[in-house]
């Protein structure tokens, strides 16, 4: 009889061989030292794989990964909770349509999410005067709008600009100097922060 194939040997060791195959393989193993040696090597490999948990990431690493997709809640001294929004969409990550031409930098569209609240942001760059216009809307999965909600634009730890949303949750910061900005929205549930909503001279 020819030597056993690795596939047939593994099926036998995993109990997937038929009764006829099993008796034939066992008879071969009693007389073939090469296949018996291969079977022993497979047994050592299977045992090591079953005992080795290194393919399983540590539980704290798994939880860290899960937390990346959850809004982070931080407590503020005054009792106001702080939510850090996650970036879920950025047009800079999307490929440009073939054949599309544009003079100047295209506007950048960003979507941030914290729980059931979305903050849609559009940034237009004005190369002539090195400024940007940052407009957006605060949205909820519920049917309500966030009107008259404070929105702040912060740079280097200082709030540089303030505005409030209109009746449909829209806000705008017109022609502000290019800088690295964090945007925050003060809701009754807490403050949502969008880190690096605009970065430097981009």
């Amino acid at each position: 009889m020819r030597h056993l194939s690795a596939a047939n040997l593994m099926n036998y060791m995993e109990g997937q061989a038929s009764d006829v195959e099993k008796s034939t393989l066992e008879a071969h193993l009693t007389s073939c030292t090469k296949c018996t040696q291969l079977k022993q090597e497979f047994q050592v490999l299977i045992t090591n794989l079953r005992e080795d948990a290194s393919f399983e990431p540590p539980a704290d690493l798994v939880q860290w990964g899960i937390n990346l997709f959850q809004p982070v809640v931080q407590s503020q001294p005054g009792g106001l909770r702080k939510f850090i929004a996650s970036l879920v969409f950025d047009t800079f990550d999307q490929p440009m349509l073939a054949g599309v031409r544009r003079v100047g930098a295209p506007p950048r569209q960003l979507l941030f999410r914290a729980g059931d609240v979305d903050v849609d942001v559009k940034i237009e760059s004005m190369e002539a005067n090195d400024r940007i216009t940052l407009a957006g809307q605060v949205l909820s999965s519920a049917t309500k709008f966030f009107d008259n909600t404070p929105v702040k634009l912060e740079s280097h730890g200082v709030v540089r600009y303030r505005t409030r949303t209109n009746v449909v949750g829209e806000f705008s910061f017109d022609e502000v100097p290019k800088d690295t900005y964090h945007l925050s929205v003060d809701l009754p549930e807490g403050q949502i922060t969008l880190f690096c909503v605009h970065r430097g001279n981009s």
Side-chain angles (χ1 to χ4, degrees):
M1 182 179 176
R2 294 179 303 172
H3 290 299
L4 302 175
S5 69
N8 287 340
L9 196 52
M10 289 299 292
N11 286 340
Y12 164 72
M13 293 174 67
E14 292 176 354
Q16 297 177 359
S18 66
D19 290 340
V20 175
E21 291 171 330
K22 185 177 177 183
S23 60
T24 305
L25 292 172
E26 286 173 348
H28 178 78
L29 287 169
T30 57
S31 61
C32 180
T33 54
K34 185 173 181 181
C35 289
T36 301
Q37 184 180 357
L38 182 62
K39 177 179 177 269
Q40 290 170 345
E41 289 174 3
F42 277 151
Q43 283 176 323
V44 170
L45 176 64
I46 290 168
T47 302
N48 288 340
L49 288 173
R50 286 182 177 153
E51 291 176 354
D52 182 11
S54 63
F55 65 91
E56 292 283 348
D60 58 336
L61 184 61
V62 172
Q63 189 59 51
W64 176 81
I66 292 170
N67 290 341
L68 282 177
F69 299 94
Q70 302 295 328
V72 178
V73 181
Q74 298 178 348
S75 58
Q76 294 278 79
L80 182 68
R81 297 190 307 168
K82 187 171 185 178
F83 299 87
I84 300 174
S86 301
L87 179 65
V88 294
F89 177 80
D90 184 350
T91 52
F92 275 21
D93 294 337
Q94 307 302 310
M96 194 168 198
L97 296 173
V100 174
R101 294 184 181 183
R102 181 183 173 90
V103 177
R108 185 177 188 181
Q109 197 82 31
L110 304 149
L111 182 64
F112 291 84
R113 180 165 294 151
D116 62 349
V117 177
D118 289 345
V119 183
D120 186 18
V121 177
K122 180 179 179 181
I123 301 170
E124 290 190 86
S125 181
M126 287 152 279
E127 301 300 330
N129 57 6
D130 211 30
R131 291 177 174 266
I132 59 166
T133 292
L134 191 150
Q137 186 175 21
V138 185
L139 305 160
S140 171
S141 57
T143 54
K144 65 177 180 177
F145 285 112
F146 295 104
D147 62 318
N148 201 35
T149 299
V151 183
K152 295 176 283 195
L153 208 52
E154 180 183 312
S155 174
H156 307 288
V158 178
V159 175
R160 305 288 182 183
Y161 305 96
R162 298 172 188 266
T163 189
R164 287 184 173 268
T165 58
N166 64 14
V167 292
V168 290
E170 296 172 333
F171 61 89
S172 180
F173 296 97
D174 297 321
E175 297 194 21
V176 297
K178 286 187 177 179
D179 203 345
T180 298
Y181 291 111
H182 309 307
L183 187 139
S184 61
V185 181
D186 292 345
L187 300 175
E189 300 87 354
Q191 183 186 75
I192 296 176
T193 300
L194 286 57
F195 281 112
C196 291
V197 69
H198 184 267
R199 190 184 299 273
N201 291 317
S202 62

